[in-house]
Amino acid sequence: MGYGQRISIHHGNGGVHMKRLISDLFIRFFENDVINEQSDSATLKVSGQHIAFTTDSFVVDPLFFPGGNIGSLAVCGTLNDLAVSGATPLYLSAGFIIEEGFSIRKLERIVISMAREAKRSGVKIVTGDTKVVNSGKCDKLFINTSGIGQVEPKYLPVSSGSKVKPGDKIILNGAPGEHGMAILQARMNLNFRSGLKSDCASLYPLIKRVLKASDRVHFLRDATRGGVATVAHEIASKCNVGVDIDEARIPENTDVRAMCEILGFDPLYIANEGKLVMVVDASDADSVLHAMQKVKTGKDAAIIGEITSEMKGKVILKTRSGGKRILDELIGDQLPRIC
Amino acid sequence: MTRGDLPFIDEYRNERMVLAIAGQIREISTLQISLMEVCGGHTMAIHKSGLQAFLPENIRLLSGPGCPVCVSSQQFVDHAIAIGRVPGVILTTYGDLVRVPGSVSSLEKEKGKGVDVRIVYSVLDALELASANRKKKVVFLGIGFETTAPASAAAIIQAGKQHLQNFFLLSAHKVMPPALETLANTDTQIDGFIAPGHVSAITGYSIYRKLTELYQRAVVISGFEPVDILQSILMLVRQIEARQFSVENEYTRVVRAQGNPMAQELMEQVFTRESAEWRGLGWVPESGLYIAEEFAAFDAAKQFKVRVPERRSPKGCICGEILIGKKRPSDCPLFSSVCTPVNPIGACMVSSEGTCSIFYKYHA
């Protein structure tokens, strides 16, 4: 079916449209053994060492939001892409596209956040690029970060999910939807009274702890655009298994749920910037959970579901009221309902 | 507050309650019956919570024409696009409408080509936009039933008070009672209606009297959570089994017998009722809300002289019959093969409250 005549906003939402654009355009022409893997980071073998390499661009609006800013996001986002590939993040680059007239003071605040996040995770920002465009040619500030990290060979399978099997447990580190709803609230002036903050955080410290606690972590993914539901689908299709999720066991943030109820959204599809979905061997699930709960980013961690051998490629949600239904892939952006 | 139950929601999703009510339904239900949930919000809630699994096989649920986006005619989308192409116009709309295919294009596609289309959460946001951009013409695409129409009416009155000369409404607002009567007259078997909770919050009970008294159908006004819907089904089954029909209200925490008189008054003041076209039902007398002559200055249909292209209907699409419960999405040759949420042919596949979209999402 292809990817249409023109780029629409859905080509960037992490759902079906974007997948199609990536596979039918980018991968088709860039085609090689590494990109074909379609992982969050490319894993390369350089002089006998396994290196994870990734890049991400940040265009968030507004630049500052409760819980973070475009700078902290740009560092955490790339760190997380490395960390979920089983890598120890080492070095980052930072490219800035700045609109003429942008406040230097704001830029300074953003750069300070970037430095702080990098330091916290023990990585160095070692190279960068600066471009200024005429007023109106970009929206205030865009940032690109790339990163590399080193992967111990035993962690190579967590990126591909090749060890995922029926019976494995699915663990989520906290309530989904905080980043997306915090941004929406800041952007739309929705006038909800809440203390909602983005969950923007580096997941590396948490992942390090998890990998130390268990040798049977079979898959790691940060649930960003498209939310937890999109990762669940990735597991189902990539590993050719069924995924069962139990709605009642998903950690929740009441503010997020309340806003979602009002707007007609489902928190499972809302973007996160500090949420980790893991598949762990059932025998180690409890010990991993305990290890996670000792860290701030994992204190609300819970087992939310299980890998099955039925309904391969599908995600089944057991609803709070006891029914069962398919949890579909995100297609268009979620739109507010009108009545 | 970061953790805890959501009051007025979680208690209505309680699994034990659901099982208990489902058990009562099974106990008393003997007849083969069809119930129509009129509102798209109900259809969505039923499928999202997986409720059908709890119902006995002799109760069939039909989805009705209560998705505002779905019943808006293709012509309306075409008209909106034509107005959107006028230089200096900002189109404002509720979300779902942007993806609905018109004859040749959709608002979403037009947006990609440079038409200024903005999604708003309330008509009052459109009003604010007009107030802040006096050199632009802000057109709000008014869709929806008694739920959204009073807000559109209030916006027009507000625009008048603020002397805004650049705010316009293109009204496809509709009212429910004539459509329900049309449904009761079709040959589709409908023994009872799960009546729309939020429409009823505005109208009150009276609009359903004809259905119970003249057409001998059961009517229960229902809330939107699984427990609400099952409880309403139980009440409907009781009425049908006893052959005693009346308007009952399950949604007592929101709906009052007399409705919301202030909202009713606003609608009466701003709109007149004339025949309107519904996808699926065709032209239904007295079902469309058109802007009264007194407020013609705000009527986009009158203030923009645009040529609306002749309609081209998609071949094979049976949206119309699906909207009146006559057919199911799986009966459509296009369903899930040609027509999918990624590439919707009919409006029912577009809206999150559209029957086809809901079936595709939760069952395909």
Side-chain angles (χ1 to χ4, degrees), chain B residues 225-258:
Chain B
E225 297 301 332
V227 168
D228 286 315
I229 295 171
L230 279 180
Q231 178 66 30
S232 301
I233 292 173
L234 176 64
M235 291 158 83
L236 284 168
V237 170
R238 275 193 198 126
Q239 286 192 28
I240 296 165
E241 295 281 339
R243 293 207 56 78
Q244 282 178 347
F245 304 108
S246 64
V247 184
E248 287 187 278
N249 181 13
E250 182 278 334
Y251 203 23
T252 49
R253 62 190 187 278
V254 170
V255 179
R256 302 278 167 271
Q258 75 281 13

Side-chain angles (χ1 to χ4, degrees), chain B residues 134-343:
Chain B
R134 301 274 179 152
K135 285 185 183 151
K136 298 274 188 179
K137 293 178 174 178
V138 175
V139 180
F140 180 73
L141 305 178
I143 55 168
F145 308 107
E146 287 91 338
T147 41
T148 54
S152 290
I156 284 188
I157 292 191
Q158 195 61 30
K161 280 188 190 154
Q162 293 178 15
H163 306 290
L164 281 179
Q165 290 168 359
N166 62 333
F167 175 79
F168 306 91
L169 176 73
L170 186 66
S171 175
H173 284 299
K174 293 179 171 57
V175 288
M176 264 294 164
L180 293 176
E181 202 179 332
T182 305
L183 279 170
N185 276 321
T186 59
D187 51 10
T188 311
Q189 183 203 341
I190 306 169
D191 302 289
F193 290 95
I194 301 174
H198 294 143
V199 164
S200 310
I202 305 292
T203 62
Y205 301 178
S206 60
I207 62 165
Y208 305 114
R209 294 259 149 75
K210 216 167 168 184
L211 286 175
T212 54
E213 288 163 15
L214 185 65
Y215 292 97
Q216 295 282 296
R217 306 293 161 88
V219 175
V220 175
I221 296 165
S222 175
F224 293 86
E225 297 301 332
V227 168
D228 286 315
I229 295 171
L230 279 180
Q231 178 66 30
S232 301
I233 292 173
L234 176 64
M235 291 158 83
L236 284 168
V237 170
R238 275 193 198 126
Q239 286 192 28
I240 296 165
E241 295 281 339
R243 293 207 56 78
Q244 282 178 347
F245 304 108
S246 64
V247 184
E248 287 187 278
N249 181 13
E250 182 278 334
Y251 203 23
T252 49
R253 62 190 187 278
V254 170
V255 179
R256 302 278 167 271
Q258 75 281 13
N260 178 340
M262 195 192 274
Q264 293 165 16
E265 210 171 288
L266 273 171
M267 281 200 296
E268 289 309 313
Q269 196 182 340
V270 172
F271 296 115
T272 58
R273 295 181 186 205
E274 282 163 50
S275 179
E277 190 184 4
W278 296 56
R279 262 189 230 225
L281 296 176
W283 288 89
V284 179
E286 305 270 306
S287 71
L289 293 177
Y290 297 86
I291 298 169
E293 201 47 49
E294 189 191 339
F295 299 98
F298 302 105
D299 190 347
K302 290 190 178 133
Q303 300 304 326
F304 291 89
K305 304 278 177 249
V306 289
R307 221 175 62 88
V308 182
E310 204 146 301
R311 95 169 67 193
R312 270 191 261 157
S313 297
K315 280 205 182 88
C317 173
I318 57 164
C319 251
E321 285 162 293
I322 290 169
L323 280 166
I324 54 173
K326 206 165 177 176
K327 291 206 169 149
R328 301 192 144 223
S330 49
D331 298 329
C332 177
L334 307 183
F335 179 73
S336 94
S337 55
V338 181
C339 181
T340 63
V342 180
N343 179 37

Side-chain angles (χ1 to χ4, degrees), chain A residues 263-291:
Chain A
L263 296 170
F265 293 166
D266 184 340
L268 288 177
Y269 294 97
I270 307 282
N272 311 279
E273 287 295 343
K275 287 297 166 311
L276 178 65
V277 180
M278 277 185 297
V279 180
V280 181
D281 195 283
S283 59
D284 277 12
D286 285 329
S287 54
V288 165
L289 203 59
H290 289 221

Side-chain angles (χ1 to χ4, degrees), chain A residues 51-95:
Chain A
I51 301 292
F53 175 41
T54 190
T55 189
D56 210 338
S57 299
F58 297 83
V59 296
V60 65
D61 170 38
L63 297 175
F64 296 86
F65 46 84
N69 63 51
I70 188 170
S72 50
L73 207 58
V75 170
C76 293
T78 294
L79 281 180
N80 292 347
D81 281 348
L82 291 172
V84 295
S85 305
T88 304
L90 297 171
Y91 301 108
L92 298 186
S93 73

Side-chain angles (χ1 to χ4, degrees), chain A residues 1 6-10 16-17 20 175 178 184 188-190 195 247-259 261-267 269 300 302 314 317-329 331-339, chain B residues 1-6 9-10 12-15 18 39 41 44 47-51 53-54 66 68-69 94-99 108-109 111-113 119-121 125 143-145 147-148 198 225-226 337-338 340-343 352-353 360-364:
Chain A
M1 214 182 297
R6 280 168 196 273
I7 290 295
S8 90
I9 204 75
H10 304 315
V16 171
H17 290 276
R20 215 167 260 175
E178 288 164 347
L184 191 71
M188 301 292 297
N189 290 320
L190 288 175
E247 192 174 42
R249 292 167 78 175
I250 298 171
E252 59 182 39
N253 176 317
T254 312
D255 286 334
V256 169
R257 269 194 67 211
M259 278 176 74
E261 287 294 337
I262 290 169
L263 296 170
F265 293 166
D266 184 340
Y269 294 97
D300 295 328
K314 300 264 185 221
L317 184 80
K318 179 176 179 259
T319 69
R320 206 177 288 267
S321 21
K324 275 191 177 180
R325 68 168 161 93
I326 287 175
L327 187 69
D328 191 29
E329 266 191 287
I331 292 166
D333 278 324
Q334 290 200 100
L335 294 167
R337 65 163 168 240
I338 73 164
C339 65
Chain B
M1 181 164 65
T2 55
R3 255 190 115 97
D5 284 348
L6 283 186
I9 290 186
D10 286 341
Y12 295 94
R13 290 184 188 169
N14 183 301
E15 188 176 349
V18 164
C39 177
M44 176 126 108
H47 294 275
K48 201 174 166 191
S49 56
L51 268 196
F54 297 107
V69 169
Y94 295 130
D96 277 6
L97 193 64
V98 295
R99 303 192 58 220
E108 189 175 64
K109 284 185 189 148
K111 189 177 174 217
K113 290 187 208 158
I119 292 175
V120 291
Y121 289 77
D125 294 342
I143 55 168
F145 308 107
T147 41
T148 54
H198 294 143
E225 297 301 332
S337 55
V338 181
T340 63
V342 180
N343 179 37
S352 57
E353 297 187 352
Y360 186 92
K361 194 165 170 185
Y362 298 128
H363 303 284

